[in-house]
Amino acid sequence: MEVRSQKMVIQLYDTTLRDGTQREGISLSVNDKLKIVRKLDELGVHYVEGGWPGSNPKDAEFFARVKGIQLEQAVITAFGSTRRADVLVQDDPNIRALLEAETRAVAIFGKSWDLHVIQVLGTTLEENLEMIADSVSYLKGRGREVIYDAEHFFDGYKADPAYALRTLQMAERAGAECLVLCDTNGGTLPSQLVAIIEEMKKVTSTPLGIHAHNDGDLAVANSLAAVQAGVVHVQGTINGYGERCGNANLCSIIPNLKLKLGHDCISDEQLRQLSSVSRYVSELANLAHDAHLPYVGHSAFAHKGGMHVNALVKCEESYQHVDPALVGNHKRVVVSELSGKSNIAYKIEEFGLDLSISPEQARQALQQIKDLENRGFQFEGAEASLELLIRRTQPGYEPPFELIDFHVLVERRQGRGMLAEVAIKVRVGDEVTHTAAEGNGPVNALDLAVRKALLPFYPQLTEIHLTDYKVRILDSEAGTAAQVRVLIDSTWRSRTWSTVGSSTNIIEASWQALADSLEYGLLNGLGVCNP
Amino acid sequence: MEVRSQKMVIQLYDTTLRDGTQREGISLSVNDKLKIVRKLDELGVHYVEGGWPGSNPKDAEFFARVKGIQLEQAVITAFGSTRRADVLVQDDPNIRALLEAETRAVAIFGKSWDLHVIQVLGTTLEENLEMIADSVSYLKGRGREVIYDAEHFFDGYKADPAYALRTLQMAERAGAECLVLCDTNGGTLPSQLVAIIEEMKKVTSTPLGIHAHNDGDLAVANSLAAVQAGVVHVQGTINGYGERCGNANLCSIIPNLKLKLGHDCISDEQLRQLSSVSRYVSELANLAHDAHLPYVGHSAFAHKGGMHVNALVKCEESYQHVDPALVGNHKRVVVSELSGKSNIAYKIEEFGLDLSISPEQARQALQQIKDLENRGFQFEGAEASLELLIRRTQPGYEPPFELIDFHVLVERRQGRGMLAEVAIKVRVGDEVTHTAAEGNGPVNALDLAVRKALLPFYPQLTEIHLTDYKVRILDSEAGTAAQVRVLIDSTWRSRTWSTVGSSTNIIEASWQALADSLEYGLLNGLGVCNP
């Protein structure tokens, strides 16, 4: 199928540091922001919107410090609004802050929607036009490249097309380098959006941009449709972070532009960094990376259905729309009770294990996986436990520690809070350690106690952190007698691994996942600074 | 802006229970599936694909049990593949299982892509055509409504348009009621998809359907574009659950169809249940509900930016693309949440409680709800706990029992299994009972112990059963020190009620939910044969 659009160079404009931080729960330090700037520059993004210097001192500090960073190509951009109503542009503190940021480019937004001009700004339609013209030409006169963001452009056009168009023409005549049409409320459909862009192309000659939000689950589609309609500048954020349902996701837009539409924007080599940039930003934003993100998610190329895995072995493209390596991701075959022996061999290679497994050992490992899955374990999400299971099939396997016993006491006495205490006995080599700890719950106490017992032997455990603890009730109809599955994620530096346990007793299930997480770390030399 | 498509009735086809469960980490019990069927029926979905009876015994059990459920309109559909190569259709075990499911409708998928026919199935292009024709006509001959899923249709068409078309025509001539074009690998762009649908409309007269995956972040856009191109049947899943990056999200498609394109599919009243259905399904799938989901997410109408909040006060539509009430969601202002005292009065009426509450008591109840929700409780899914909270604001409230203390011991000794034992002391009236019990885990032991203590006073408790016990980790990044929420469902005859507890200590959280569940039952005279 031929895609009907000319190949073009598309400008990528990242607003993760400004609009992205409007997402509930995100707050980036100035240091985090500077780190992300470097990553975005490496990725090949053309503009990086750093923040709104007029709105808060943190953003002003960012602009002061970002000047010291050598960048390959990214143009740092300061964001702000048009001047206030009834104020001289040179006296407007927001405009002054924009200049003080000393960036080569500035983005300013103005109102396109009559409802906003009258009800929100409380000014007149004419004054709003003057505000746009004044602000653009003043910043142009001070040598800035001006990107004009037409806020609510599509909603404004739906309400009063003639007025929306006039606002855009004011910015164009005042010298804006790019007119960015914003779907600020995110509710416009691609068909409406394209029809409006077609109208705009008839009456403006300045390059057009698109800024989409995801309230209709259409932000990526709207951005691509805009490009297919002739727009050359695309705004978005890494991982689609943003207020409400997020902004257009650059991690989906970039590969769609390059791999599906054939437009030039970043190099092939840069595209291969995409998954790593996506994870890096989520890391700094302190958000779990969404496994199901298109192209860059951990599960984006994970195959679970037995039939699909079978087909993939025969032909890679049978259930993959692109080669995952192009975006720095990789295929995963999820091992479950439906797997064959070839999955085990596949996994040994994937884990990079230096061991040979006989067909008989593979059969045993598989049988053990099936037995454990019957008892509620699940290795799909717990590949470290799977690796240990395979290693333990090897004759002469020596675990780094061994549990002898533990007991857990949880007590509630009237007038006192809850108490959770654990006593534990473990063996390392020939030495047996018996110790105890308290925690804010029984599992926390167990975690603290086992670490206390092992630390004298393995000081590197202080570097290994438990970052995620999940509990799932398997047969919840069994009430409090139900089978429980526990999944634990652990990290050391940028390395993350997952382990599993299962039992009707949540303490036992937690113990299994916890012990595997530590055993895996110790066996793989993690936590040691120079391994 | 006029949207250029005729208003039509669109058939909604849900495959959460089949394709949705291909998502890594989802596994639904038969009971969960039956509960979801009821919810989807209430929502007004036209077809519910229940599973693949030929692929596993759990799905076969589902079809046996779902027959006993009275549904308003949803047609339960069994899914399977066309017959195998070189097998008589009546001898194919998969086709037989489809018939044994005894559903009014069946969906069968066949191959459209020559690459799959040859490399994956390992058969000839001609035999594949026969497989499609045989399977459709055989199932039609047995009185089934046949929905034909053309797997990989768009990829197949890109590779060999004539062959892809022939597969579709085989299904059409054999009598399929609907031809569903599947973007199985999820990599097709809306522009390509529409162009191919336009071609198909020229050569087929059977109603067309769309089944999209989200690998290009375009599943919702593709589904809408297909409808705008004349497709009348849309497949998807609740919350977009599905393999890799998920299936097309019905929770986005339905409101876009109704509110943006004006197509009829479910009633306005049903649309107002959308957010609650979305949360219900995520609850049963034991996945955290994604706050940023369009329309139905907790943050979909949450406003953080100071400027936006300011504008919203002046004008509701300034930063919202639709009224959140239309989809059963609500606006949230992230900084200062305002809740009304009238909510409490509303609940008292809803619960049918015979009590009057003073404005001051309502304020106190509200404050307590906010405090508890801050500590991880959630009353949306636990109305019995909410009723108790309101009752306890009344002067002179007498609880049916009172906990004095308990302790829990969990022990693991080498060579013996796990031990879980609870000792408990409770007061009923003036009498104190001190007793103990063992269980298969600490929560089970606690459940058994409290019942043992209360049974002499309240024999009706033998009739009250705990039917569901769920655990959710709230701040999983805190590892084993995380806050835990426990939800318990209890039943007596056809009556079901839900209670909640929350603590960093899972035993304490379980105790709270357990105690509420018994207290609610006793106060409402449940478990007594002639109350």
Side-chain angles (χ1 to χ4, degrees), chain A residues 1 3-4 21-26 52 109 111 113 115-116 119-120 151-152 184-185 187 189 191-192 195-196 214-218 220-221 224 228 243-245 252 256 260-261 292-295 299-300 302-305 307-308 311 314-315 317-321 332 334 380 402-414 418 420 440-444 447 466-473 476-477 479-481 504-508, chain B residues 1 3-4 21-27 29 31 52 109 111 113 115-116 119-120 151-152 184-185 187 189 191-192 195 214-218 220-221 228 243-245 252 256 260-261 285-286 292-295 299-300 302-305 307-308 311 314-315 317-321 332 334 403-414 418 440-444 447 466-471 473 476-477 479-481 504-508:
Chain A
M1 218 45 218
V3 171
R4 301 184 209 115
T21 60
Q22 294 290 313
R23 175 176 158 133
E24 234 182 306
I26 288 192
W52 188 338
F109 78 94
K111 297 285 186 190
W113 189 357
L115 171 128
H116 265 259
Q119 294 204 33
V120 177
E151 197 198 25
H152 288 115
T184 310
N185 292 3
L189 299 181
S191 51
Q192 302 172 312
I196 295 174
N214 203 36
D215 299 75
D217 218 347
L218 296 163
V220 169
L224 296 181
Q228 290 184 289
E243 200 163 15
R244 305 186 312 272
C245 311
S252 299
N256 276 329
K260 300 290 169 77
L261 290 171
H292 303 280
L293 281 176
Y295 291 101
S299 297
H303 304 280
K304 175 174 171 182
M307 210 186 57
H308 290 196
K314 295 172 182 159
C315 171
E317 71 188 294
S318 59
Y319 286 94
Q320 287 183 172
H321 67 125
R332 283 194 310 124
V334 173
E380 277 181 31
E402 200 189 337
L403 175 70
I404 301 174
D405 9 84
F406 65 74
H407 82 250
V408 179
L409 180 70
V410 177
E411 222 180 35
R412 181 189 184 281
R413 299 278 176 215
Q414 265 195 334
M418 295 286 296
N440 71 0
V443 182
N444 185 232
D447 185 19
L466 221 141
T467 50
D468 202 12
Y469 171 70
K470 282 199 189 71
V471 174
R472 173 159 168 65
I473 303 295
S476 51
E477 319 83 57
T480 54
T504 56
N505 187 321
I506 190 169
I507 311 287
E508 186 178 34
Chain B
M1 216 44 217
V3 171
R4 301 184 211 117
T21 61
Q22 294 290 313
R23 176 177 158 133
E24 233 182 308
I26 288 194
S27 165
S29 69
N31 276 333
W52 188 338
F109 77 93
K111 297 284 187 190
W113 190 356
L115 171 126
H116 265 258
Q119 295 205 31
V120 177
E151 198 198 23
H152 287 117
T184 310
N185 292 2
L189 299 181
S191 52
Q192 301 172 312
N214 202 36
D215 299 74
D217 219 346
L218 296 163
V220 169
Q228 290 185 287
E243 201 163 14
R244 306 187 309 271
C245 311
S252 300
N256 277 328
K260 300 290 168 77
L261 289 171
N286 203 27
H292 302 281
L293 281 176
Y295 290 103
S299 298
H303 304 280
K304 177 173 171 181
M307 209 187 57
H308 290 196
K314 294 172 182 159
C315 171
E317 70 188 294
S318 60
Y319 287 94
Q320 288 183 173
H321 69 125
R332 286 195 306 124
V334 171
L403 175 70
I404 301 174
D405 21 73
F406 65 74
H407 83 250
V408 179
L409 180 70
V410 177
E411 222 180 36
R412 181 189 186 280
R413 298 279 174 213
Q414 264 194 334
M418 296 286 296
N440 71 0
V443 183
N444 184 232
D447 185 19
L466 222 141
T467 51
D468 201 13
Y469 171 71
K470 283 203 181 68
V471 174
I473 302 295
S476 51
E477 318 82 55
T480 54
T504 56
N505 188 322
I506 190 169
I507 310 286
E508 185 178 35

Side-chain angles (χ1 to χ4, degrees), chain A residues 226-242:
Chain A
V227 169
Q228 290 184 289
V231 155
V232 293
H233 165 115
V234 178
Q235 301 196 346
T237 62
I238 298 296
N239 302 331
Y241 293 149

Side-chain angles (χ1 to χ4, degrees), chain B residues 328-436:
Chain B
N329 206 342
H330 58 275
K331 181 182 76 182
R332 286 195 306 124
V333 169
V334 171
V335 268
S336 67
E337 182 104 65
L338 300 165
S339 210
K341 277 177 273 180
S342 55
N343 294 36
I344 298 293
Y346 179 89
K347 281 291 170 191
I348 289 176
E349 209 183 304
E350 192 185 307
F351 293 150
L353 297 184
D354 183 24
L355 56 85
S356 66
I357 192 160
S358 69
E360 179 52 24
Q361 285 166 340
R363 205 197 52 74
Q364 278 175 16
L366 215 56
Q367 188 55 48
Q368 215 184 334
I369 290 167
K370 281 183 193 170
D371 292 347
L372 290 171
E373 292 206 339
N374 267 339
R375 285 166 43 203
F377 285 77
Q378 199 191 31
F379 293 99
E380 264 185 45
E383 301 227 311
S385 286
L386 181 59
E387 179 177 325
L388 290 174
L389 186 149
I390 295 171
R391 281 182 183 242
R392 289 173 191 141
T393 62
Q394 297 288 297
Y397 174 77
E398 283 285 346
F401 65 92
E402 201 189 336
L403 175 70
I404 301 174
D405 21 73
F406 65 74
H407 83 250
V408 179
L409 180 70
V410 177
E411 222 180 36
R412 181 189 186 280
R413 298 279 174 213
Q414 264 194 334
R416 292 167 52 193
M418 296 286 296
L419 167 84
E421 186 190 71
V422 165
I424 195 166
K425 205 186 279 179
V426 293
R427 178 184 290 118
V428 178
D430 293 332
E431 219 167 312
V432 171
T433 305
H434 196 172
T435 188

